[in-house]
Amino acid sequence: MRRGAVILLLVVASCAPALAQKAFPPITASDRIIVVAPHPDDEILGAGGLIQQACAVGAEVHVIYLTSGDHNQIAFKLYKLRLHFSPRQYIAFGEVRHREAAAATALFGLTRDQLNFLGYPDYGTMQIWRDHWGETPAFRSDATHTNAVPYPDAFGFGQSYRPENVVADFVKLFQRIRPTKVFVTHPADTNPDHRAAANFVRLAVLELAAEQTPPQLYYYLVHFGRWPAPYHYHPEDELEPPAQLLDDGNWLTLPLTPEQAQKKYEAILQNHTQMTTRQYFLVSFARADEIFATIDVLPVPTVPADAVINWRKAVHSKVIGLTPEEPSTRTSTEHALFDELAAMELEETAYLRQGEDLIAQITLRNRLGKRANVHLLLYGYKRGSDFAKLPKLHINITPLGGVHVFDDRKRVKEEGVKVISIENHLIVRVPLRLLGDEVPDLLFTATRANLGEVAADDTAWHLFSLSNDSGNEHTIAR
């Protein structure tokens, strides 16, 4: 990363030395475990060995499926050798994936009553999280043409596709099961549903913290560029976290026996609808171990009003690293588009608090181009307040330095929001009063970069603390 040669700014990349993975703590008979799968098969890919070991020691195990995986159109078309499907047929495929999940987890000893299908829309839950709070109409799936859970056997049958309902379903199941450990996809996973799952679970755990002991949260990874390498079935190989994520969480390894890796491989193959397009990728998760991360809720540092801003002390939200396709497969037009996208890639967003303002420094590879715009998303969480009713700020920064602020898609006054562009850095100052009548305790935040209407890059959603209360970190395992 380049340093900005500007007075009052010292821009330094957030780097930490790679550390050896520690051993995952033993599962005991007293554990109550929930594995949250954004789609049927994710529970096997990320935690199939863990489920086996938990069942072997007598722990209570449950799986919660956020979606029914009913939007994987290419896989369905190859599976049935048909080009067109009706909305009802996509729902039928969701039901097929329910049965595949039951067959796969049955190899580990789980029964149907240990599986909870929420039934929310595949390839829609991140948009639900991002854009459908409050009075915004419910999300509508372009595959099933529904705006409510269509599966009669789903826990959330009939629930509209709204984020409040997703959180409420997780809260109800957590209250019923009272888990000691919850496993969910990593917030830096490049699949949008996987990132949404992490956000909904973190919010549900926060909502429960006042009434029951919060579970330890562990994160598993499925999608991240060309990880895990090599592809195909290599049960003797161990998984390693992607290099870009070595310092984004505390990584733990869970060794599997050859028998457990083989049974995990067999369970993966039970997902027949997915074997048509990605078998080489899916079976690569049957390895000699599984890896999980814990992520601390870091405080946003406060600096005095008259202080020189030192970004070395800030908390950082790194970009999600995508691996592009091979250049040889692109047309000349695609080359031009990819070059333009690459030129405006995000590097990171750093956060500090100064007085009653939140300051974000968004660093791009180059300056904003004439068609580029950046979105800073800020969702505050306040204990005792209804999260759905709190502001969900979307700050849109245009190439000419214009600023547009939205809350639940409604334009709000930009008074107090200031943006300074310095070389390849955008410094955004946001009054905390825009996030609610009181300063939030916590902050869900992400940054997106668009080229026109095309998404060019984004960071993972991070959860930061705006309070000096050390209790903010109690929901995250260490």
Side-chain angles (χ1 to χ4, degrees):
M1 179 179 295
R2 299 178 298 175
R3 288 190 177 92
V6 182
I7 299 175
L8 301 184
L9 286 180
L10 175 62
V11 183
V12 180
S14 174
C15 296
L19 301 176
Q21 295 178 62
K22 297 181 180 179
F24 190 87
I27 303 294
T28 68
S30 62
D31 275 316
R32 295 179 300 279
I33 290 173
I34 290 178
V35 178
V36 176
H39 313 96
D41 77 4
D42 288 321
E43 79 288 5
I44 306 297
L45 302 178
L50 177 130
I51 292 173
Q52 293 180 65
Q53 294 186 16
C55 290
V57 300
E60 183 179 338
V61 180
H62 299 265
V63 181
I64 300 176
Y65 299 92
L66 176 59
T67 81
S68 297
D70 49 26
H71 197 282
N72 195 341
Q73 300 186 24
I74 294 176
F76 295 160
K77 290 173 181 178
L78 290 174
Y79 183 69
K80 285 293 187 180
L81 298 179
R82 293 178 55 183
L83 289 178
H84 303 289
F85 292 92
S86 68
R88 183 65 191 90
Q89 288 171 320
Y90 280 116
I91 295 173
F93 266 113
E95 293 167 341
V96 170
R97 297 202 68 181
H98 288 195
R99 294 193 291 273
E100 290 178 345
T105 53
L107 295 182
F108 302 155
L110 299 188
T111 60
R112 181 60 180 81
D113 61 1
Q114 291 170 278
L115 312 181
N116 299 276
F117 296 92
L118 301 188
Y120 290 98
D122 182 17
Y123 203 63
T125 56
M126 176 50 75
Q127 191 170 339
I128 291 174
W129 166 268
R130 193 177 59 231
D131 298 326
H132 289 270
W133 295 94
E135 299 176 359
T136 307
F139 176 85
R140 185 175 185 269
S141 168
D142 62 6
T144 65
H145 291 191
T146 59
N147 61 4
V149 177
Y151 301 101
D153 64 340
F155 182 83
F157 177 54
Q159 295 268 48
S160 62
Y161 291 158
R162 304 188 58 80
E164 296 90 337
N165 291 334
V166 182
V167 177
D169 284 352
F170 275 118
V171 167
K172 290 174 186 175
L173 286 167
F174 289 177
Q175 288 173 327
R176 177 192 301 176
I177 299 168
R178 302 184 71 84
T180 57
K181 294 180 173 66
V182 172
F183 297 81
V184 67
T185 37
H186 197 286
D189 193 300
T190 55
N191 183 287
D193 290 321
H194 290 211
R195 279 179 273 164
N199 286 347
F200 283 121
V201 166
R202 288 188 287 191
L203 179 56
V205 170
L206 287 170
E207 300 284 66
L208 279 173
E211 61 182 77
Q212 68 185 56
T213 302
Q216 294 176 308
L217 291 183
Y218 296 94
Y219 301 91
Y220 63 91
L221 188 66
V222 177
H223 297 286
F224 197 87
R226 292 180 181 147
W227 184 88
Y231 287 153
H232 302 287
Y233 181 42
H234 298 282
E236 70 285 352
D237 290 352
E238 294 183 350
L239 287 174
E240 296 286 345
Q244 301 97 313
L245 298 183
L246 281 174
D247 60 345
D248 195 353
N250 310 301
W251 289 93
L252 307 169
T253 183
L254 179 72
L256 306 187
T257 66
E259 294 75 19
Q260 290 167 348
Q262 173 65 24
K263 185 169 286 189
K264 179 175 180 177
Y265 172 75
E266 294 169 0
I268 291 170
L269 296 181
Q270 293 297 313
N271 294 279
H272 301 290
T273 57
Q274 307 307 296
M275 294 298 112
T276 56
T277 57
R278 300 187 302 157
Q279 180 170 339
Y280 68 95
F281 167 71
L282 300 176
V283 299
S284 64
F285 286 86
R287 296 287 182 90
D289 68 341
E290 290 175 342
I291 57 174
F292 305 97
T294 63
I295 301 176
D296 295 331
V297 178
L298 299 176
V300 175
T302 299
V303 296
D306 58 350
V308 172
I309 296 178
N310 184 344
W311 290 102
R312 189 185 305 220
K313 297 180 180 179
V315 289
H316 298 257
S317 177
K318 288 188 174 182
V319 70
I320 294 173
L322 294 176
T323 303
E325 62 191 74
E326 293 296 330
S328 59
T329 66
R330 303 178 195 156
T331 66
S332 58
T333 301
E334 290 172 332
H335 267 297
L337 175 60
F338 272 89
D339 289 345
E340 196 170 0
L341 290 173
M344 62 165 295
E345 281 181 356
L346 290 168
E347 291 193 350
E348 67 171 14
T349 304
Y351 300 85
L352 289 170
R353 179 178 173 182
Q354 190 173 46
E356 295 305 310
D357 291 343
L358 178 73
I359 308 174
Q361 177 180 257
I362 302 169
T363 301
L364 299 104
R365 177 173 294 181
N366 293 291
R367 300 172 187 233
L368 278 181
K370 61 182 179 180
R371 294 197 296 149
N373 54 82
V374 171
H375 302 265
L376 178 64
L377 284 62
L378 303 171
Y379 297 4
Y381 176 87
K382 183 70 177 177
R383 294 185 186 87
S385 298
D386 185 348
F387 181 80
K389 295 180 180 178
L390 291 174
K392 310 291 185 299
L393 295 186
H394 290 214
I395 301 174
N396 181 17
I397 304 165
T398 68
L400 298 178
V403 180
H404 307 292
V405 182
F406 297 86
D407 177 13
D408 287 335
R409 296 187 178 181
K410 296 179 181 177
R411 184 82 175 265
V412 298
K413 292 182 178 180
E414 299 85 24
E415 183 180 356
V417 178
K418 300 178 181 178
V419 178
I420 301 174
S421 178
I422 304 174
E423 294 191 343
N424 59 322
H425 310 293
L426 297 173
I427 313 299
V428 187
R429 183 178 287 268
V430 183
L432 288 170
R433 58 180 166 75
L434 295 181
L435 291 170
D437 295 334
E438 299 180 78
V439 174
D441 298 310
L442 300 164
L443 183 68
F444 287 91
T445 181
T447 310
R448 303 175 66 202
N450 283 14
L451 184 63
E453 297 299 319
V454 179
D457 222 345
D458 58 1
T459 69
W461 280 82
H462 281 69
L463 182 61
F464 295 130
S465 169
L466 292 173
S467 168
N468 293 323
D469 180 6
S470 60
N472 282 333
E473 299 185 9
H474 72 287
T475 62
I476 306 298
R478 290 170 179 74

